[in-house]
Amino acid sequence: MTIGISIALILSSLLMVLLVLLHKGKGGGLSDLFGGGFSSSFGGSSVVERNLDRLTIITGVVWFVCIIALGLLLKP
């Protein structure tokens, strides 16, 4: 059980990093430095942005549940 939750935690962590990096930058800063030109060339649809937001939130909830479950399972 612990190994399965650990694998789910690793996968959700990697997916979370990917999803956060896919978000369009809201202004100056590191998001413009790394992906400003790339994201502006595609022009992004509002439906795509909303779905990306939903997927990011769902992945965050899965990540949080995995953290709590591992904490409860590994508690001495």
Side-chain angles (χ1 to χ4, degrees), residues 14-69:
L14 293 174
L15 185 60
M16 180 67 80
V17 169
L18 178 70
L19 290 173
V20 168
L21 289 176
L22 283 175
H23 276 86
K24 190 166 99 172
K26 303 289 185 206
L30 289 177
S31 61
D32 282 341
L33 177 67
F34 291 117
F38 182 74
S39 63
S40 65
S41 67
F42 283 105
S45 166
S46 62
V47 174
V48 173
E49 289 292 326
R50 273 188 299 217
N51 288 336
L52 186 60
D53 288 342
R54 290 179 187 146
L55 191 57
T56 305
I57 290 171
I58 291 169
T59 305
V61 169
V62 169
W63 182 83
F64 185 74
V65 168
C66 288
I67 293 287
I68 297 299

